[in-house]
Amino acid sequence: MAGLADSGSNPDVDLLYDINGLAKDAPPWFDRVMEFVGEYGLLFAMVLLVMWCWWTVRRRGGEDAAPSVAALVWAPLAAGVAVLVNVPIRGFVERPRPFNDHGGLEVLVEGKTDFSFVSDHATITMALAVGLFVANRRFGLVGLGIALLEGFCRVYMGVHYPTDVVGGLALGTAVALLLSPPAMALLTPVMRAIERSPRAGWLITARGRHHTEEGRVAAGARNGASGAEERDLAA
């Protein structure tokens, strides 16, 4: 399996040279920017996007707050599970990094000694993006765009084949989607319990809205009890 892309006529290799060739034509400062963005920046952007989505969900409140926060909690968990799943995949395929088998590449990040298939960066960002999409489609679409950009950057940097990226995107999507139903079934009741907590409820719903919802529930309970008393008296 190590010779997954050994031939120079392989479309995977051709696309690698086409995309990585852009790094050769770009000014050095732009390559440094792409190196930071592809290695750290987009992962950090995904974390910020998840936090922004959580802040928006808790401020909005409502019945969907707990399930949405549960999906946001699942997003990083899905990324972690996908990376663990990737460990045996990498060991089985044993695909060397492209710069080990193909000369003339502009490698922007040195010191990569592990196997190439599949890309951890693409896997993580895609799993986070799919988790975001489950929680909020608007934020999820932005996350999907970031995941695709991450994949492009990994090829541009000369550290992955295009199929490494495609495999990572597919793995992140599969783990996040296929395990989402049991994960949500476990996490949603936990988030609802936290929402009802006087101390931790702010994690799910903003304090003002949290107290308002509690007041409505309490008022409804009182009205129900009062109506029951009236019906009893009328009887």
Side-chain angles (χ1 to χ4, degrees):
M1 299 295 288
L4 199 59
D6 291 336
S7 171
S9 62
N10 190 317
D12 193 25
V13 178
D14 293 340
L15 188 57
L16 164 69
Y17 276 106
D18 288 341
I19 296 177
N20 182 253
L22 300 174
K24 291 185 176 182
D25 299 331
W29 65 266
F30 185 79
D31 284 347
R32 300 287 76 80
V33 170
M34 290 293 285
E35 175 187 349
F36 176 80
V37 168
E39 193 73 7
Y40 308 107
L42 292 175
L43 290 175
F44 184 64
M46 285 298 301
V47 172
L48 290 180
L49 191 63
V50 171
M51 296 300 294
W52 185 11
C53 185
W54 165 73
W55 186 261
T56 301
V57 166
R58 67 178 292 273
R59 286 190 63 186
R60 185 181 64 234
E63 291 294 325
D64 295 334
S68 296
V69 175
L72 292 175
V73 172
W74 167 236
L77 292 177
V81 172
V83 169
L84 291 177
V85 172
N86 189 29
V87 172
I89 294 176
R90 280 193 169 193
F92 176 72
V93 177
E94 294 186 344
R95 186 187 207 180
R97 295 280 181 170
F99 50 78
N100 290 324
D101 289 340
H102 305 283
L105 292 174
E106 186 76 11
V107 182
L108 303 186
V109 179
E110 302 293 339
K112 298 289 184 181
T113 58
D114 55 343
F115 293 121
S116 185
F117 186 89
V118 296
S119 168
D120 277 339
H121 281 71
T123 300
I124 292 171
T125 52
M126 196 62 175
L128 288 170
V130 173
L132 265 174
F133 191 81
V134 173
N136 185 290
R137 289 189 177 183
R138 180 165 55 91
F139 281 93
L141 289 174
V142 176
L144 291 174
I146 292 176
L148 294 175
L149 181 58
E150 178 68 87
F152 175 84
C153 288
R154 302 307 289 177
V155 181
Y156 180 96
M157 294 158 62
V159 294
H160 280 294
Y161 295 97
T163 48
D164 296 338
V165 168
V166 173
L169 298 177
L171 178 59
T173 300
V175 170
L177 282 182
L178 293 179
L179 298 182
S180 178
M184 293 295 292
L186 291 172
L187 290 172
T188 300
V190 175
M191 295 304 111
R192 291 200 185 279
I194 293 175
E195 185 179 24
R196 292 191 295 268
S197 171
R199 293 185 178 181
W202 63 273
L203 290 169
I204 312 299
T205 305
R207 289 188 175 183
R209 294 182 180 275
H210 181 60
H211 293 318
T212 300
E213 292 296 329
E214 286 184 342
R216 289 176 180 174
V217 171
R222 287 195 299 269
N223 291 338
S226 175
E229 291 177 0
E230 289 178 0
R231 286 194 296 271
D232 289 342
L233 289 174

